[in-house]
Amino acid sequence: MCGIVGYVGGRDAVPILIEGLKRLEYRGYDSAGIGVIREGRLEVRRCIGKVEDLERVLAGQPLGGRLGVAHTRWATHGRPSDRNAHPHRDCSRSLAVVHNGIIENCGALRRALEAEGHRFESETDTEVIAHLIERFAGDGLESATRRAVAELRGTFALGIVSEEAPGTFLGVRIGGPPLVIGAGADGFYVASDIAAMLGYTRDVLVLEDGEMAVLSREGVRIVTLDGVPVPKTMTTVPWDAGAAEKDGFPHFMLKEIHEQPRAIETTIHALGDLSASLGLDHRELRQIERIVMVACGTSWHAALIGEYLLEALGRIPVEVEIGSEFRYRGPIVDKSTLTIAISQSGETADTLGALREARSYGSKTVAICNVAGSTMSREADGILYTRVGPEIGVASTKAFTGQLAALYLLAVHVGLARGTVTADAAEALLGDLKEIPRLAATVLARGARVAELAAKLAGYSSFLYLARGVTYPLALEGALKLKEISYIHAEGHPAGEMKHGPIALVDAEMPVVMIAPRGRLYDKVVGNLEEVKARDGLVVVLANDEDEEIATRADHVLYVPPTSELLTPILFAIPLQLLAYHLAVLRHCDVDRPRNLAKSVTVE
């Protein structure tokens, strides 16, 4: 994703900024740019391509100055181009903004600003920010920025420099995208990632949601967006450059769990209109008689949830197959079948083989994956990118919930095409989805409770996970996460199957994790809970807020905000991920690199 670097101090800013951009190249980007205040004047250089292309531009048009901002862009609004590269400026070209994130209301703001006479040069949502600050310029840079940010909707991080305050750098964080402030002997640094500044300082602080950093050669001030000072102190990080890419988190997995609100929001935005990317128009979708989904591991669990979504909204038969089984058993698919292959990397060997097998029988194919240009995305007829960003931890977290968001959007789209979902119903369904990033952030804010529970459960050697309906696949996923990273034996089952075998395992030494959201099957799950308690089982329940009754029946309860039934799996997945994570940490396991596992399984 986009990378931000800033510097103010006693040295030439340009080499520092360029080095910082190079350290952020792992994030993925399509263009790069730099803005520097030189002798009170703002100068900008930017181009499509890599940082080395920007260096060539600078060789022909050199810059110098002791305050500046730089950026690598990952395109959202507007295709990659020189004019869409950051930094972006206002009409007077005296203020520069770089941006990581999405401005949700950029269309309405842009129309209003254009009506006021502002002239736009790019297709980006970022340029709106520069013109909004210009609108309030008479108030001074800090105040104008606060007023501008108050009108923005979305999650984002900003870096801002201006001729109006030629010795000041402003950094703003709203929501997910991180900003880290560093203090060195010769100046102060800002970056999306500690890695960008590690060659200059290890003394850092992380900007929190809703805060603004005001940097000058004299020091750093942190204030809220209401202008209230926030006392903070620098901490010294002991990590090397590779570890610093974790944005201050101890593990990539924990970082990626916490990235889920932003990742889901980005996926929703990127897949706003599926018509072009799906490879099937409404007429063709109406001709589809059956859907087969193929996947492996966590993606298979996402597919199982997708089965519920597509059947509920599209009213079409759906089958879910493990890729390694499907590809070798002579599957019954034809041109009336849509085969959906799901893979984070787009390179999973068995899933790719299953996709090819389906195509050989004439089936239309769609891939859901996270890596642009992957083999699966090139070979499928249609492609839905989840856009959750790089997932480095081996145990999939944000890729899973991103897949669920994509499958939900696909189910709504199929329902509209087939006439089983009305336009009004679709609007309501999408409205529910747009609330999920906010609700996911609420779940994450309760993470300390999960850590406390993990400390009480760390001594057990085997777990049972139970659920029903659309959350049943979460029982499989919760068990898989625990096995993957903590090496604790765990099984997931439909709660209705408990009496058909798994109940034999239940005793005081077998924690049973039950997923019990309010809904049609709630009473059924509570009945299963009572059966576990009658056999002295230790019951951990994931339940909706304000379910006080279940607390009287369970040993431990983790509460999750309510949402619609079909979206429940996204929110309930998060505490299951955190529980597995904290148990693994307590057992001193290598969380990001669990034994015997690879991130992408590209061989059979």
Side-chain angles (χ1 to χ4, degrees), residues 68-116:
V69 65
H71 188 267
T72 50
R73 178 179 186 251
W74 188 86
T76 54
H77 292 71
R79 65 177 55 197
S81 66
D82 287 352
R83 71 189 184 104
N84 286 333
H86 296 212
H88 289 286
R89 289 169 285 187
D90 62 349
C91 294
S92 69
R93 304 175 76 82
S94 64
L95 177 142
V97 176
V98 300
H99 164 220
N100 184 7
I102 291 176
I103 307 303
E104 296 173 353
N105 58 336
C106 65
L109 290 172
R110 181 172 182 139
R111 289 190 293 273
L113 288 162
E114 287 176 332
E116 294 172 13

Side-chain angles (χ1 to χ4, degrees), residues 41-243:
R41 304 293 295 176
L42 172 66
E43 295 190 43
V44 169
R45 307 285 186 266
R46 55 187 185 169
C47 67
I48 189 172
K50 302 297 183 183
V51 175
E52 62 188 36
D53 298 308
L54 178 61
E55 287 184 289
R56 282 192 284 270
V57 171
L58 289 167
Q61 304 175 62
L63 285 180
R66 301 188 187 280
L67 183 148
V69 65
H71 188 267
T72 50
R73 178 179 186 251
W74 188 86
T76 54
H77 292 71
R79 65 177 55 197
S81 66
D82 287 352
R83 71 189 184 104
N84 286 333
H86 296 212
H88 289 286
R89 289 169 285 187
D90 62 349
C91 294
S92 69
R93 304 175 76 82
S94 64
L95 177 142
V97 176
V98 300
H99 164 220
N100 184 7
I102 291 176
I103 307 303
E104 296 173 353
N105 58 336
C106 65
L109 290 172
R110 181 172 182 139
R111 289 190 293 273
L113 288 162
E114 287 176 332
E116 294 172 13
H118 290 265
R119 303 178 305 279
F120 283 77
E121 298 180 347
S122 76
E123 304 166 277
T124 68
D125 53 347
T126 307
E127 193 178 356
V128 165
I129 304 165
H131 290 285
L132 270 180
I133 296 172
E134 183 182 27
R135 175 197 274 177
F136 303 118
D139 295 347
L141 182 61
E142 287 185 49
S143 178
T145 299
R146 285 197 295 268
R147 293 183 64 183
V149 169
E151 299 203 11
L152 302 175
R153 290 205 310 269
T155 58
F156 49 85
L158 308 177
I160 302 162
V161 297
S162 173
E163 293 177 5
E164 180 182 353
T168 299
F169 182 106
L170 298 186
V172 177
R173 181 184 180 188
I174 300 293
L179 273 186
V180 182
I181 313 301
D186 51 9
F188 296 92
Y189 305 82
V190 179
S192 300
D193 196 305
I194 295 170
M197 62 182 73
L198 197 59
Y200 302 98
T201 182
R202 292 175 181 267
D203 296 325
V204 303
L205 64 85
V206 178
L207 208 61
E208 301 295 337
D209 182 14
E211 292 180 348
M212 175 191 291
V214 184
L215 284 70
S216 68
R217 293 184 67 174
E218 286 70 45
V220 178
R221 285 188 294 114
I222 309 297
V223 296
T224 68
L225 291 176
D226 296 324
V228 178
V230 179
K232 288 200 172 190
T233 57
M234 297 280 175
T235 59
T236 301
V237 295
W239 313 306
D240 59 17

Side-chain angles (χ1 to χ4, degrees), residues 345-490:
S345 66
E347 305 290 349
T348 307
D350 287 319
T351 307
L352 181 58
L355 182 145
R356 290 168 174 165
E357 184 76 2
R359 291 195 73 187
S360 73
Y361 286 93
S363 173
K364 285 284 190 180
T365 58
V366 170
I368 298 176
C369 77
N370 191 44
V371 180
S374 63
T375 304
M376 204 172 293
S377 70
R378 296 195 306 270
E379 295 193 11
D381 299 307
I383 174 67
L384 305 183
Y385 285 120
T386 51
R387 305 294 190 189
V388 301
E391 188 178 66
I392 298 169
V394 167
S396 182
T397 53
K398 63 177 180 176
F400 174 68
T401 51
Q403 289 166 354
L404 296 186
L407 286 163
Y408 184 90
L409 286 166
L410 176 61
V412 174
H413 185 80
V414 170
L416 278 170
R418 296 173 61 84
T420 55
V421 172
T422 66
D424 287 344
E427 185 176 355
L429 288 163
L430 295 175
D432 291 339
L433 181 61
K434 290 176 182 176
E435 285 295 300
I436 291 298
R438 178 182 63 81
L439 294 173
T442 299
V443 178
L444 287 166
R446 303 173 182 179
R449 168 68 181 128
V450 184
E452 291 170 3
L453 176 59
K456 297 175 181 177
L457 300 176
Y460 293 92
S461 60
S462 191
F463 283 66
L464 184 64
Y465 288 71
L466 300 173
R468 298 191 73 145
V470 71
T471 59
Y472 148 59
L474 282 185
L476 303 178
E477 175 63 10
L480 177 63
K481 282 291 157 288
L482 194 63
K483 286 182 281 193
E484 282 181 312
I485 62 171
S486 73
Y487 318 140
I488 296 173
H489 171 258

